[in-house]
Amino acid sequence: MRVYKAKDYNDLSRKAANIISAQIIMKPDAVLGLATGESPIGTYKQLIEWYNKGDLDFSEIRTVNLDEYKGLAADNPQSYAYYMHTNLFDSVNIPAVNINIPNGLEDDSVKECMRYDNVIHQLGGIDLQLLGIGGNGHIGFNEPGNNFNKETHCVTLTDNTIDANARFFASRDEVPRYAYTMGIKNIMQAKSILLIASGEAKAQAMYDSFYGPITPNVPGSILQLHNNVTVVADEAALALILKEHEITSGGLIK
């Protein structure tokens, strides 16, 4: 595991975008696993800037998104499909046919989960998976629990996650209670993983995920078992880790 300390959110976003852009340049038809939420917005903005300068080409890139709310249409402003088009897809030259996101309007959970797993398998797996992390250590919508769910599944969102996402809705009551998400196996089979985190609210989850025991009570802790994880986080998110470990300009290697 390699950990990079960013000066601030803008620096974090540039560092993360550098890693993703290197993947795109090295493998123009790479499969990118993408995330939503507040953390990646700056990263996507930087990728768009470099695309507009002619430095990046998305014409052969394939994408698979981590998750989607169950019950929301792709054109709903609160859906993750809408988020991705607004924050990245509509501003670069990625073909619509190359974009893959769980179908929030599919009522049959078993059918949709099997379909999405097949999509990932047919693409040959994920080259680079981008992740954020929740304050309770969740990755994607893999919430704390008694076991690691393996592949795509429908999850009941915890009160913690509903509360965290309520700010994006008119009221807490409007936050969907269910979501489709890639499972831990989907994520762990990615060839490389890039996790980004910002703010003191993530500090405990970051420490528990990378320096605590591996447990489904902290889903992010499973990443300790992956052989190619890069973490880019600001000082606030790394606060508890920095108390015990020095991160040099070359990054901390665990």
Side-chain angles (χ1 to χ4, degrees), residues 31 39 59 63 66 85 97 151 162-163 170-171 177 180 182 188 195 201-202 212 251:
V31 178
S39 297
S59 63
T63 68
L66 272 172
H85 281 277
V97 69
E151 295 189 294
I162 291 170
D163 290 341
S171 71
R177 267 43 183 177
Y180 290 118
M182 284 188 205
M188 292 294 286
L195 185 142
K202 303 296 177 71

Side-chain angles (χ1 to χ4, degrees), residues 47 186 192 199 254:
L47 291 172
N186 300 120
S192 61
K254 180 182 178 182

Side-chain angles (χ1 to χ4, degrees), residues 33 161 179 185 193 206 215 225 239:
T161 297
K185 181 178 179 181
I193 293 173
M206 290 289 287
T215 168
L225 299 180

Side-chain angles (χ1 to χ4, degrees), residues 89-122:
F89 295 151
D90 290 350
S91 299
V92 298
N93 64 331
I94 185 169
V97 69
N98 288 0
I99 295 169
N100 297 283
I101 301 172
N103 178 11
L105 291 184
E106 177 54 69
D107 289 331
D108 188 332
S109 298
V110 173
K111 178 182 177 182
E112 178 57 16
C113 293
M114 289 180 63
R115 182 196 72 83
Y116 206 61
D117 283 338
N118 286 334
V119 167
I120 297 171
H121 296 157
Q122 289 169 6

Side-chain angles (χ1 to χ4, degrees), residues 34-36 65-67 80 129-145 148-151 153 155 157 161 179-189 193-197 202 205-206 209-210 214-226 229 231:
L34 299 179
T36 55
N65 258 74
L66 272 172
D67 41 34
Y80 289 147
Q129 176 64 59
L130 175 65
L131 295 175
I133 190 166
N136 62 1
H138 75 245
I139 49 177
F141 272 129
N142 292 281
E143 300 281 11
F148 291 111
N149 287 291
K150 293 182 179 180
E151 295 189 294
H153 57 285
V155 63
L157 302 183
T161 297
Y180 290 118
T181 183
M182 284 188 205
I184 294 298
K185 181 178 179 181
N186 300 120
I187 294 170
M188 292 294 286
Q189 286 182 332
I193 293 173
L194 168 62
L195 185 142
I196 58 177
K202 303 296 177 71
M206 290 289 287
S209 291
F210 295 109
I214 298 170
T215 168
N217 288 319
V218 183
S221 65
I222 195 69
L223 298 176
Q224 294 180 47
L225 299 180
H226 198 283
V229 175
V231 175

Side-chain angles (χ1 to χ4, degrees), residues 9 13 35-45 83 130-132 196:
Y9 180 74
S13 298
T36 55
E38 289 183 311
S39 297
I41 290 176
T43 300
Y44 294 147
K45 183 178 179 181
Y83 168 106
L130 175 65
L131 295 175
I196 58 177

